[in-house]
Amino acid sequence: MGSAQADTKASGEFARDMRYIPTRITADGRDGYPVEADRYRLIIARACPWANRAAIVRRLLGLEPVLSMGICGPVHDERSWTFDLDPSGVDPVLRIPRLRDAYLARDPDYPLGITVPAIVDVPSGQVVTNDFPTMTIDLSTEWVRYHRDGAPDLYPESLREEIDEVSELVFTDVNNGVYRCGFASSQGAYEQAYDRLFARLDWLEDRLTRRRYLVGDTITEADVRLFTTLVRFDAVYHGHFKCNRNKLTEMPALWAYTRDLFQTPGFGDTIDFAQIKEHYYVVHTGINPTQIVPKGPDPSGWLTPHHRAELGGRPFGEGTPPGPPPRDERVPSLK
């Protein structure tokens, strides 16, 4: 979530600050922000796994024509994510050089981290929300009238309780678990986080040996949330965050599962490994003071056969895959 809101406990344990702007964009506009086409701009960074969730869900649901997307560069300073990928370093829609400007437009005394993903109200230039867990659920449930024909149901009502239960385990032990390893400041805190992470990965390996997707027989919100950590595992978390019991490529079911999703339209076409590596290895100078970015691993394995279709399942349920991403949102193809 870049510029992560975090603290370190006396025990050396990393503690993520989960205070976000809770305002929601809803069909009935009860928080003052009704769902509208062309009113809002989703701000992400390719590097950030939390922002990656929103980018994937937007793609799968086909919201590109009604919800524009701005992309920050992979490296930021202590103040803010910046739009250094854009001409003159200014977002072409919001006309600001730093995401911080949209936060301060909403609250000049905003005291918390400047995080992505964030959704900005374009007319006012103010951040509406950066509450990443709720954001993707709302894209699925509140933006329904703008979903593309054939959009999948990523949060089916009959499976919501199980999706929420699995997602909470994945968040605690895996999504946030890799950060609890990487930013631990004591040996004991690190080892505790490490053990929890790999115990949960073993649990997921067993679960996904027998089934194609985490919950039900189609892609759901739970898969999106797990994918964004797993796709970064070997490139970043294994070495940089010391999550090195084994690589993702050494866990057969999880490696095949993540390749299956990577090769599914809407997933791999949001991933830029160069930006992912640059962010972690350059920004986290407390962990990597030389700021040297590793040359590997070789990404070509992501395109190898996964054979997951043999487990059954229908990726999009009764729906269809999304079309190609807009030209200005394409990521470099793997060699």
Side-chain angles (χ1 to χ4, degrees):
M1 131 192 358
S3 296
Q5 300 164 219
D7 194 7
T8 304
K9 298 179 181 178
S11 64
E13 180 183 350
F14 168 80
R16 185 177 297 280
D17 185 344
M18 293 295 289
R19 292 174 295 168
Y20 297 97
I21 301 171
T23 308
R24 294 175 61 188
I25 300 168
T26 57
D28 63 7
R30 58 186 177 272
D31 286 357
Y33 293 96
V35 170
E36 292 180 19
D38 304 318
R39 175 172 173 176
Y40 305 101
R41 187 159 174 84
L42 171 65
I43 305 300
I44 69 158
R46 294 289 187 198
C48 173
W50 319 95
N52 196 177
R53 296 178 177 188
I56 291 169
V57 170
R58 173 178 171 270
R59 283 272 296 122
L60 295 178
L61 299 178
L63 292 172
E64 296 101 327
V66 298
L67 177 62
S68 69
M69 187 168 76
I71 304 174
C72 296
V75 177
H76 60 74
D77 59 24
E78 69 282 353
R79 288 184 293 165
S80 177
W81 291 93
T82 56
F83 293 101
D84 48 294
L85 301 177
D86 291 303
S88 303
V90 173
D91 181 84
V93 173
L94 301 176
R95 304 294 181 188
I96 56 175
R98 292 176 169 275
L99 181 56
R100 180 175 183 263
D101 298 337
Y103 279 80
L104 297 183
R106 165 125 184 202
D107 178 0
D109 299 315
Y110 183 73
L112 302 174
I114 308 299
T115 63
V116 289
I119 297 182
V120 179
D121 177 47
V122 175
S124 67
Q126 298 179 4
V127 165
V128 178
T129 183
N130 63 341
D131 188 356
F132 71 95
T134 303
M135 189 182 298
T136 49
I137 298 296
D138 283 349
L139 291 178
S140 283
T141 59
E142 300 289 340
W143 289 71
V144 175
R145 68 183 171 123
Y146 291 116
H147 289 181
R148 65 179 175 86
D149 290 339
D153 186 353
L154 299 175
Y155 197 53
E157 202 157 349
S158 63
L159 296 176
R160 287 179 186 177
E161 184 175 349
E162 186 178 0
I163 290 171
D164 291 347
E165 288 175 357
V166 171
S167 293
E168 181 60 27
L169 295 173
V170 167
F171 171 78
T172 302
D173 298 337
V174 181
N175 300 144
N176 198 44
V178 293
Y179 284 84
R180 291 174 66 244
C181 291
F183 288 119
S185 61
S186 73
Q187 189 69 33
Y190 160 71
E191 291 188 8
Q192 183 181 48
Y194 176 103
D195 290 344
R196 285 185 65 175
L197 166 65
F198 281 101
R200 184 61 60 200
L201 289 176
D202 288 341
W203 179 82
L204 289 164
E205 174 76 9
D206 180 65
R207 184 181 182 97
L208 290 165
T209 296
R210 304 184 304 273
R211 55 195 303 162
R212 190 171 180 186
Y213 302 112
L214 274 176
V215 180
D217 67 348
T218 65
I219 292 167
T220 68
E221 174 80 15
D223 297 296
V224 175
R225 295 185 178 200
L226 178 57
F227 171 81
T228 60
T229 296
L230 295 184
V231 77
R232 289 162 172 77
F233 199 88
D234 288 3
V236 176
Y237 304 137
H238 178 269
H240 184 59
F241 278 178
K242 306 180 185 70
C243 301
N244 63 353
R245 191 195 74 179
N246 51 258
K247 298 175 183 175
L248 177 68
T249 55
E250 295 165 347
M251 302 189 79
L254 281 173
W255 173 224
Y257 163 82
T258 314
R259 294 203 316 282
D260 184 6
L261 292 176
F262 186 91
Q263 294 171 31
T264 298
F267 284 85
D269 54 33
T270 70
I271 300 299
D272 186 321
F273 284 112
Q275 288 195 33
I276 289 169
K277 291 193 296 182
E278 183 178 358
H279 169 72
Y280 284 91
Y281 286 99
V282 171
V283 171
H284 299 159
T285 54
I287 299 175
N288 185 42
T290 65
Q291 298 181 300
I292 292 172
V293 179
K295 190 172 180 178
D298 178 1
S300 61
W302 286 103
L303 302 179
T304 58
H306 52 75
H307 305 294
R308 293 286 290 179
E310 296 168 10
L311 293 171
R314 303 164 299 148
F316 299 100
E318 301 302 321
T320 57
R327 184 173 296 277
D328 61 352
E329 295 179 12
R330 293 179 186 172
V331 299
S333 59
L334 297 185
K335 302 291 191 230

